[in-house]
Amino acid sequence: MNRNNKTGFATLLIGLGVVILLGKFAFGFLSGLMAYLVPILMIALGYYGVKNGSRYFGWIIMVLGAIILFSKLAWIFGLLLAIGLIVVGVSMLSNKRNNRTY
């Protein structure tokens, strides 16, 4: 039983290495896809490690994957912040105009 767990973990590590190499050598769409796929696979690998008893190693890989994924998605958070600021500013201006007394 222990041998199967190590074989599965080794296969997962090899797969992650292959995905990283594909991301480095791929061009165009595949390269962009790999930029998001690698952090997601790191989170999955960390979860797999935590679930199978390697808690310290698993948590480190999972947190690193989450940080990398968050940095890749930072442009979405900036876009949402900009849209939110515009909406709040427009609503403040419309409330100011509606509350005028003549």
Side-chain angles (χ1 to χ4, degrees):
M1 184 65 110
N2 193 15
R3 181 167 164 78
N4 289 337
N5 285 340
K6 287 184 180 180
T7 303
F9 188 66
T11 304
L12 194 59
L13 286 175
I14 291 169
L16 183 62
V18 168
V19 167
I20 291 171
L21 283 177
L22 281 175
K24 295 294 180 187
F25 294 117
F27 299 102
F29 174 74
L30 189 59
S31 177
L33 180 66
M34 292 299 165
Y36 293 101
L37 190 60
V38 169
I40 291 170
L41 288 175
M42 285 178 69
I43 292 170
L45 177 66
Y47 176 75
Y48 183 78
V50 168
K51 188 176 178 183
N52 287 328
S54 180
R55 291 181 185 221
Y56 183 72
F57 177 72
W59 276 109
I60 290 174
I61 297 297
M62 197 179 333
V63 168
L64 285 175
I67 290 170
I68 293 169
L69 186 62
F70 183 75
S71 69
K72 299 278 183 191
L73 297 175
W75 66 273
I76 292 175
F77 300 122
L79 182 66
L80 292 175
L81 177 66
I83 291 171
L85 290 173
I86 291 169
V87 167
V88 168
V90 168
S91 70
M92 287 174 69
L93 284 176
S94 67
N95 282 342
K96 227 177 191 185
R97 290 182 184 159
N98 291 338
N99 289 336
R100 284 190 187 168
T101 56
Y102 295 100

